[in-house]
Amino acid sequence: MANRVAFIGLGMMGYPMAGHLAKRFETIVWNRTATKAQEHARQYGSQAVQNLQETAQAEFIFTCLPTSVEVEEVVRQVLPALKAGTVWIDCTSGDPNHSRRIAQSLREVGCDFLDAPVSGGRAGAEAGTLTVMVGGSEETFRRALPIIEAFAGKVFHVGDVGAGHAVKAINNMLLAVHLLATAEGLVALAKQGVDPAIALEVINVSSGRSFASEVHFPERVLTRAFPNTFSLALLAKDTRIAVSIAREVYVPTPLMQLAAEMFEMAKRQIGGDVDHTAVVKLIEGWAGTEIAPRTKEG
Ligand code: NDP
């Protein structure tokens, strides 16, 4: 039997993810700014709807919204129209506690919930190679897997509802820590007279390397391009979730707390609408130097 899917939230990530779904399944799309849904329908042959509740016709409903707050609100609005047996798959980088609450409200009307946040950025979403970390029951995971695979490179079942969001928050906290630590190290080296471009080349074939040093610094920082594909506000949100997860289980996490504070400060100082890598500018500002390649003289 052919599955019908719906996708709510055609942002940086959701737009291409829903595009991959539309290539395999009959796909309904809804977006707060309706013109984006209409454009999606033209580009991918999906069905754009104006009324949010029309997404309830699908057997699998996806959300990819900024935070769990928006997801909870959307679920509240669609809930009265849902058919029993519908699976709600939330690809937002959300909050595990919100997800458990959402799952409970869906269970009360005979529906299932999976938290299925993704990693791989806009490029991974466009290529259909995202890493997906899923929380929920084994049975629901098995049902949803062939659908999720439409936009995924790797799909992991990591535990019960909330576990996907927890893994995602910690992953992004590691990204945040790597960005901050690499920026601190490189401004210190620049002040010592070392060319940051050469320092990065060394680090990237040595033990201090990370995704941030291998990809973000060469492509976004050294070039001074900072292309906005994942906002600083969204990464700041992820660091807050990571800290709250650790606090809930009384695990001391001083590094994580400091990183979350620094992202909050960066958001206030340089704004949340810039790319997450622009956090580096905060550290550059304190040091009074930029992480840019030395210009060759003579
Ligand atoms: P965007 O800001 O690009 O898109 C957000 C989407 O949510 C848009 O479709 C927007 O609609 C919609 N939206 C915002 N507020 C509301 C609301 N109140 N009600 C209904 N819809 C709303 O975000 P991203 O696509 O970058 O991120 C989405 C999620 O994925 C986030 O949780 C993020 O942390 C996560 N993520 C992002 C990655 C990235 O590289 N960008 C990578 C991995 C995960 P509208 O078009 O009207 O603004």
Side-chain angles (χ1 to χ4, degrees):
M1 192 187 71
N3 286 303
R4 202 191 302 193
V5 308
F7 207 104
I8 298 169
L10 304 172
M12 193 65 79
M13 297 301 284
Y15 192 94
M17 287 162 73
H20 286 291
L21 287 167
K23 288 179 202 156
R24 294 196 194 181
F25 310 104
E26 204 180 318
T27 301
I28 299 167
V29 290
W30 181 92
N31 195 63
R32 180 180 62 176
T33 308
T35 47
K36 272 201 218 167
Q38 286 149 11
E39 190 190 324
H40 197 275
R42 274 193 299 277
Q43 189 173 346
Y44 295 106
S46 52
Q47 183 197 342
V49 293
Q50 296 265 7
N51 179 349
L52 187 53
Q53 292 206 345
E54 288 181 63
T55 57
Q57 298 164 47
E59 287 86 49
F60 295 87
I61 303 176
F62 287 83
T63 27
C64 191
L65 299 172
T67 75
S68 292
V69 174
E70 291 82 25
V71 178
E72 231 171 351
E73 175 54 24
V74 162
V75 170
R76 191 190 65 73
Q77 289 184 45
V78 179
L79 200 81
L82 286 176
K83 304 177 292 231
T86 304
V87 181
W88 196 297
I89 304 167
D90 182 26
C91 297
T92 306
S93 299
D95 181 315
N97 283 325
H98 280 245
S99 303
R100 289 180 202 115
R101 247 185 357 241
I102 293 168
Q104 178 57 33
S105 67
L106 289 167
R107 215 173 289 129
E108 284 164 13
V109 295
C111 298
D112 294 304
F113 177 86
L114 296 172
D115 43 314
V118 299
S119 184
R122 172 79 179 195
E126 282 175 348
T129 56
L130 292 169
T131 299
V132 190
M133 47 219 97
V134 185
S137 76
E138 178 70 32
E139 189 199 335
T140 312
F141 173 72
R142 291 275 151 229
R143 271 181 70 198
L145 184 60
I147 317 281
I148 294 172
E149 278 172 340
F151 54 74
K154 286 202 163 75
V155 187
F156 296 92
H157 184 210
V158 294
D160 292 337
V161 169
H165 281 154
V167 173
K168 175 66 185 173
I170 298 298
N171 176 75
N172 278 23
M173 172 56 90
L174 293 175
L175 166 65
V177 168
H178 294 157
L179 280 170
L180 294 169
T182 308
E184 287 188 1
L186 289 176
V187 291
L189 286 170
K191 283 278 189 184
Q192 289 277 343
V194 177
D195 184 342
I198 292 173
L200 262 178
E201 274 187 50
V202 175
I203 289 164
N204 284 336
V205 288
S206 303
S207 48
R209 68 186 183 274
S210 63
F211 186 79
S213 72
E214 288 181 326
V215 178
H216 285 333
F217 277 79
E219 292 181 6
R220 299 185 181 215
V221 180
L222 284 184
T223 58
R224 311 308 292 169
F226 303 99
N228 190 0
T229 63
F230 175 41
S231 76
L232 197 152
L234 288 176
L235 186 53
K237 169 261 304 177
D238 295 333
T239 63
R240 279 200 306 276
I241 296 171
V243 165
S244 72
I245 289 168
R247 282 212 180 113
E248 236 170 60
V249 286
Y250 303 106
V251 173
T253 52
L255 271 180
M256 285 176 25
Q257 302 214 16
L258 182 57
E261 288 287 327
M262 285 174 74
F263 266 85
E264 190 56 37
M265 279 154 33
K267 196 175 83 182
R268 284 158 198 240
Q269 196 162 320
I270 56 184
D273 287 337
V274 294
D275 190 58
H276 62 299
T277 54
V279 73
V280 167
K281 292 180 184 172
L282 189 73
I283 291 157
E284 290 176 333
W286 295 337
T289 190
E290 276 189 0
I291 299 169
R294 290 275 174 83
T295 50
K296 301 227 169 25
E297 285 164 28

